[in-house]
Amino acid sequence: MSEATYSVGIDLGTTHCALSYVDLDLSEGEAVAQHVLSLPQVVAPGTIEERSLLPSFLYLPGASELGEGALTLPWDEAPAFGVGEVARTLGAKTPIRVVSSAKSWLCHGGVDRLAPILPPHAPEEVTKVSPLQASILYLEHLRDAWNAGHPDAPLDEQDVVITVPASFDPAARELTAEAAREAGLDNMVLLEEPQAALYSWIQGTEGTWRDQVSVGDVILVVDVGGGTTDLSLMAVAEREGSLELHRVAVGEHILLGGDNMDLALAVAVRNKIEAEGDKSLDAWQLGALTHACRGAKETLLGDESVEAVPIVVPSRGRKLVGGSIRSELTRAEVESLLVEGFFPEVGSDARPKARTRGALTQLGLPYAQDAGVTRHLAAFLARQLHATEDVEGFEPRLPEGATFLHPTAILFNGGVFQSGLLEKRVSAQIDAWLEADGGEPARILEGARLDLAVARGAAYYGYVRRGRGVRIRGGTAQAYYVGVEAAMPAVPGMEPPLTAICVAPFGIEEGTRADPAPQELGLVVGEPVSFRFFGSSVRRDDAVGTVLERWRDGELEELPEIQATLPAEGKTPGDVVPVRLQAGVTEVGVLELEAIPRKGDERWKVELEVRAGEQE
Amino acid sequence: MSDSAETPSFFARIFLAWVAYFRTLFDGDFAAGVVRLREGRPALPPPEEPKAEEPKKKKKAKKPAPVLKEAGPDAALQLLGLLQREGRFVDFIEEDLGDASDADIGAAARVVHDGCKKALDDHFTIEAIHASEEGARVKVEEGYDPHTIRLTGNVVGEAPFKGELTHRGWKVSDVRLPKMSEKHDPSVIAPAEVELA
């Protein structure tokens, strides 16, 4: 391990970034010297402030749009882009030049994530950036902010942990790692956000977590961030007399978060305003309205005696009195839109409305079609009924005939749950399912569910990686398959049947490799060859080489294609070389696929992301 | 003069002559006294009050004028910019409220209040000076700081005082004003905006 002075946790969020750090020399056991870095950023042209959060927004200004020194940072006289608060503020009035939710685009398999596609609706003149570039720019901002405050301990010499949603596919993880490398952060590992939240909770208990959970516990982490909902299950097992945590399952990537909820409220209020008179709101005013609704929502959810909160949308011009639009947000509206809309009471057999896979290339983000978080939750728990079966040292408490995996404890994370009411709603819903299914109510693990929990948990993880605390065991939460079309005569109107060969079993741990799959695939020398790629979060027992000819609906999820290119050196271009595929997980936490030829000891990397310009 | 009935020593008299020489030259009152002594008339009793006042007055006149601090305009302009940006403060104050309804003013005041509060909270730590509730009977101890506690009404006598707290006071314990880039002109509180269609 490196000679780092600090363990640095970076929450590279969909809507905000944060950085927390642990001073390794000053920390001992449970006594951890932890801080949150104040992040200098331009908040308005020419004005620099320090904030604990960096909004994940990027502004691409026009040539003469901003005056000299408008974007000056303590470490850069004239940056080409605006990052952080200034990007969000300027973008509210000039949406064609602002990049937001780059992280969701990074996990969008339907687009070329390395191509300059953001902002999606920008005119020709705007120099667009790729989702990867946007991530690099955010990381560079965090790096420069760190280095400005720690000139003797540059970030590239520290242990850095960057969090990713547990539901990120292998390609999105690889791209996040690539962004970190591009930003010069070589001592970097990835950590799943729900795990970071649990680490943050563990740290917060100051060692008493061992008294709060016991063998056989199943902890459900419900992490509703600004843009995504991330679900994970952790099992508490015992090994050699001490408790051990296993992350046994992660949920699907659900593009649904707190921002959607605030927007839903704002749209409802806007409709009310527009129905009342001839006033109409522009995009900036809708943004201001969303902001006002967020505040009103927190008041209504936090104080049950309040029935309505007035909302005022300011005018854009200087005439504030008379020019502003008045309305209000009522308790009934919040309850029907938010509580019933996003957290409806449903049965444990409820399932989200299925997302039909559209054309391969989609223009917009694949937002969750079903806004019911509880339905996603019900589907997740049912799908993972058998998730704890193979955990060593685990004592299952699941009653016979259970229809879904029973969580015994719940950890909530994310700003959405700050109000308490939504937390109660979700926990009551789960308890109702548990009771109907013959289980016991789940308890809530009390802890900080602040905006900073993920960054703090990540920094703490960097500390425990040095053997100074409990580690959550995980490994890959999916088994991976390569799709091969069966060789058979073409039948008009019928797709050739597809078989899936398992190349990576469930639960490969960091820094280890699986055996190569025995099947040989043909690669063409000098030409990129693509394969269809699948993942399964439920087929836990498939060994490498297992061939699936059919599978149940929802058992396998198609991921973006993978691609291998054999260099032409020393071979005849066009020749077909038989190779076997071997999977591993790097120390960083990224899935790696390699093609191994029958002869020789060469290995070629199989790209999880089809690179631009190499596509046929 | 009555307590100096003893005859001064020779050396003391040399010193006295030296002092008397100059005071006779430059101090009119002293010279008048010397004249009375030479003529054998008794010295006048010292005029108590004015005599004591006079040297003080002269000293005051010689003291340099008090230095008055002058705040640079940048911080004030910055604050105005902040209040405008967050709470539309200048828009609101510069508006003519003559014909506006109270409901409209109230609506606008919410924007101003919410935003200005955020601006203050983000950039200043403001605390009440006195911990008691307003209206409570409080005691002002001896040695209190008149900068932080102002006595009003029937102000007589010496501390400790007892009275009613009419205002708790405010004190800024921390200021976190934004930094500005060198080229930034803080006198532009809000730029004009032109929306391109």
Side-chain angles (χ1 to χ4, degrees):
Chain A
M1 205 151 273
S2 66
E3 292 302 307
T5 318
Y6 300 97
S7 161
V8 177
I10 293 177
D11 176 4
L12 192 60
T14 315
T15 53
H16 286 98
C17 300
L19 188 154
S20 175
Y21 58 103
V22 167
D23 189 325
L24 296 170
D25 295 338
L26 298 180
S27 301
E28 187 64 52
E30 313 286 358
V32 180
Q34 184 160 28
H35 312 275
V36 171
L37 185 69
S38 290
L39 302 166
Q41 58 194 286
V42 179
V43 296
T47 309
I48 299 112
E49 284 188 30
E50 293 189 356
R51 304 262 170 101
S52 57
L53 297 173
L54 178 77
S56 308
F57 289 77
L58 177 68
Y59 192 77
L60 317 169
S64 63
E65 184 186 340
L66 299 171
E68 219 182 323
L71 297 175
T72 300
L73 285 164
W75 52 83
D76 192 349
E77 178 87 38
F81 307 109
V83 172
E85 185 60 40
V86 71
R88 182 163 68 174
T89 320
L90 293 175
K93 289 179 180 171
T94 310
I96 57 161
R97 290 185 175 275
V98 70
V99 175
S100 61
S101 299
K103 186 183 183 183
S104 300
W105 288 96
L106 204 61
C107 188
H108 183 7
V111 298
D112 182 350
R113 302 174 249 199
L114 299 169
I117 53 169
L118 301 178
H121 303 294
E124 284 286 301
E125 185 206 297
V126 177
T127 312
K128 294 188 183 184
V129 297
S130 71
L132 177 70
Q133 272 172 304
S135 306
I136 294 170
L137 286 164
Y138 300 150
L139 285 171
E140 284 178 343
H141 189 104
L142 295 171
R143 176 199 67 196
D144 293 341
W146 170 275
N147 289 348
H150 300 84
D152 300 331
L155 193 56
D156 57 0
E157 291 173 13
Q158 312 309 315
D159 287 347
V160 177
V161 178
I162 297 178
T163 59
V164 291
S167 52
F168 249 25
D169 69 27
R173 286 171 197 241
E174 162 63 23
L175 288 172
T176 307
E178 184 171 337
R181 281 194 299 274
E182 290 289 327
L185 308 178
D186 291 325
N187 295 330
M188 185 276 309
V189 296
L190 299 179
L191 176 69
E192 293 174 358
E193 283 157 14
Q195 290 193 45
L198 191 64
Y199 277 118
S200 180
W201 173 77
I202 289 171
Q203 187 198 354
T205 64
E206 292 174 350
T208 66
W209 71 273
R210 289 181 187 84
D211 308 325
Q212 298 189 41
V213 296
S214 56
V215 177
D217 263 328
V218 175
I219 304 169
L220 168 68
V221 182
V222 183
D223 181 10
V224 182
T228 52
T229 293
D230 216 8
L231 305 170
S232 285
L233 286 164
M234 323 270 181
V236 183
E238 189 176 335
R239 185 148 86 166
E240 290 160 10
S242 52
L243 292 182
E244 207 176 49
L245 294 163
H246 292 255
R247 195 270 285 107
V248 291
V250 304
E252 281 183 1
H253 198 59
I254 309 169
L255 274 187
L256 180 65
D259 287 6
N260 305 57
M261 300 177 193
D262 297 335
L263 187 62
L265 295 177
V267 168
V269 175
R270 181 188 66 183
N271 293 346
K272 202 158 66 171
I273 291 169
E274 291 182 346
E276 275 168 12
D278 51 356
K279 287 168 179 164
S280 70
L281 302 187
D282 63 17
W284 177 82
Q285 284 179 310
L286 183 64
L289 178 60
T290 310
H291 183 76
C293 283
R294 184 176 305 140
K297 172 196 77 179
E298 278 161 18
T299 307
L300 286 166
L301 292 180
D303 184 350
E304 286 185 31
S305 67
V306 181
E307 280 304 314
V309 175
I311 300 257
V312 180
V313 186
S315 62
R316 281 192 65 172
R318 68 188 170 82
K319 202 169 155 39
L320 203 57
V321 176
S324 301
I325 301 164
R326 256 181 333 148
S327 188
E328 61 172 15
L329 187 66
T330 65
R331 171 165 301 280
E333 283 165 339
V334 168
E335 281 178 0
S336 74
L337 288 165
L338 214 62
V339 183
E340 298 308 325
F342 289 91
F343 301 93
E345 268 183 67
V346 295
S348 63
D349 57 349
R351 299 291 176 264
K353 198 160 77 181
R355 189 168 78 215
T356 46
R357 285 240 165 227
L360 254 166
T361 306
Q362 295 175 8
L363 271 175
L365 283 172
Y367 288 109
Q369 285 193 347
D370 193 325
V373 172
T374 39
R375 275 190 285 270
H376 288 280
L377 195 52
F380 172 61
L381 292 176
R383 198 183 314 122
Q384 297 301 339
L385 175 62
H386 305 292
T388 55
E389 278 172 10
D390 298 333
V391 179
E392 271 176 60
F394 180 77
E395 294 164 14
R397 302 180 193 165
L398 205 60
E400 217 161 298
T403 59
F404 64 93
L405 184 64
H406 291 188
T408 59
I410 311 169
L411 179 72
F412 289 100
N413 190 55
V416 167
F417 294 113
Q418 220 137 18
S419 72
L421 190 91
L422 295 177
E423 180 185 294
K424 265 185 230 154
R425 176 60 173 250
V426 174
S427 116
Q429 175 70 87
I430 291 171
D431 285 350
W433 295 340
L434 287 168
E435 200 189 336
D437 211 39
E440 298 286 317
R443 60 192 189 281
I444 294 176
L445 300 183
E446 296 293 345
R449 56 192 75 92
L450 304 166
D451 290 331
L452 298 165
V454 166
R456 295 181 70 95
Y460 179 67
Y461 169 68
Y463 171 69
V464 303
R465 279 187 88 226
R466 297 175 160 250
R468 304 204 214 177
V470 68
R471 276 184 70 171
I472 302 168
R473 297 186 58 191
T476 47
Q478 288 197 315
Y480 295 101
Y481 305 80
V482 166
V484 181
E485 278 171 18
M488 63 175 282
V491 178
M494 202 179 112
E495 269 186 57
L498 188 80
T499 57
I501 300 167
C502 180
V503 291
F506 204 92
I508 306 178
E509 299 222 5
E510 280 152 29
T512 63
R513 273 185 178 148
D515 293 331
Q519 290 85 354
E520 285 185 332
L521 303 168
L523 290 189
V524 186
V525 173
E527 271 179 38
V529 177
S530 302
F531 298 97
R532 288 174 74 177
F533 195 49
F534 298 85
S536 173
S537 63
V538 287
R539 299 191 62 96
R540 291 161 185 273
D541 303 323
D542 285 349
V544 165
T546 303
V547 178
L548 304 181
E549 280 171 358
R550 59 179 68 85
W551 49 87
R552 272 179 298 151
D553 209 26
E555 225 178 3
L556 255 59
E557 186 197 354
E558 179 149 19
L559 300 168
E561 287 190 338
I562 55 171
Q563 193 177 65
T565 310
L566 253 54
E569 284 159 41
K571 287 180 277 307
T572 320
D575 273 5
V576 174
V577 177
V579 296
R580 296 190 299 161
L581 292 184
Q582 183 174 28
V585 175
T586 63
E587 289 291 346
V588 168
V590 168
L591 182 77
E592 201 172 50
L593 273 180
E594 287 177 314
I596 318 167
R598 193 183 295 167
K599 279 177 288 194
D601 47 12
E602 280 176 290
R603 308 178 80 92
W604 298 294
K605 193 175 180 221
V606 179
E607 299 291 347
L608 299 172
E609 167 72 17
V610 176
R611 304 272 148 168
E614 293 167 11
Q615 219 161 356
E616 281 176 76
Chain B
M1 310 277 142
S2 55
D3 55 344
S4 58
E6 282 178 25
T7 311
S9 72
F10 179 70
F11 289 103
R13 296 206 306 257
I14 290 181
F15 179 74
L16 182 66
W18 179 256
V19 172
Y21 175 73
F22 281 102
R23 280 196 75 180
T24 313
L25 265 181
F26 296 111
D27 189 340
D29 291 344
F30 188 81
V34 173
V35 170
R36 293 172 79 90
L37 280 174
R38 273 196 78 196
E39 288 168 4
R41 284 183 284 157
L44 280 175
E48 297 279 340
E49 287 308 304
K51 266 268 162 81
E53 227 16 56
E54 224 165 56
K56 252 193 194 170
K57 260 185 195 161
K58 279 185 182 164
K59 262 188 198 163
K60 240 186 193 169
K62 281 178 199 162
K63 246 181 38 181
V67 182
L68 299 178
K69 285 189 281 186
E70 193 172 347
D74 278 7
L77 291 171
Q78 233 185 342
L79 179 61
L80 271 185
L82 273 175
L83 294 174
Q84 166 66 15
R85 197 166 76 224
E86 301 282 357
R88 308 286 294 271
F89 179 74
V90 179
D91 287 345
F92 184 65
I93 299 299
E94 288 297 313
E95 214 166 328
D96 178 11
L97 298 184
D99 296 331
S101 72
D102 282 2
D104 281 344
I105 296 173
R110 281 190 189 280
V111 174
V112 179
H113 179 267
D114 286 358
C116 291
K117 176 162 176 52
K118 180 175 184 295
L120 290 191
D121 289 352
D122 286 354
H123 300 94
F124 302 91
T125 307
I126 304 178
E127 294 159 359
I129 288 174
H130 209 292
S132 303
E133 283 304 313
E134 285 171 12
R137 297 289 296 172
V138 296
K139 196 174 171 189
V140 179
E141 299 291 350
E142 213 172 322
Y144 73 97
D145 179 1
H147 284 112
T148 58
I149 297 179
R150 168 144 324 132
L151 303 176
T152 59
N154 189 21
V155 185
V156 286
E158 302 275 324
F161 298 103
K162 275 186 181 159
E164 186 188 312
L165 184 66
T166 47
H167 194 293
R168 298 173 69 180
W170 293 116
K171 186 175 167 59
V172 174
S173 60
D174 190 23
V175 182
R176 301 169 294 272
L177 281 178
K179 296 190 175 77
M180 289 179 289
S181 80
E182 216 178 329
K183 307 270 169 35
H184 182 65
D185 177 3
S187 66
V188 179
I189 292 166
E193 286 185 12
V194 180
E195 172 116 345
L196 308 180

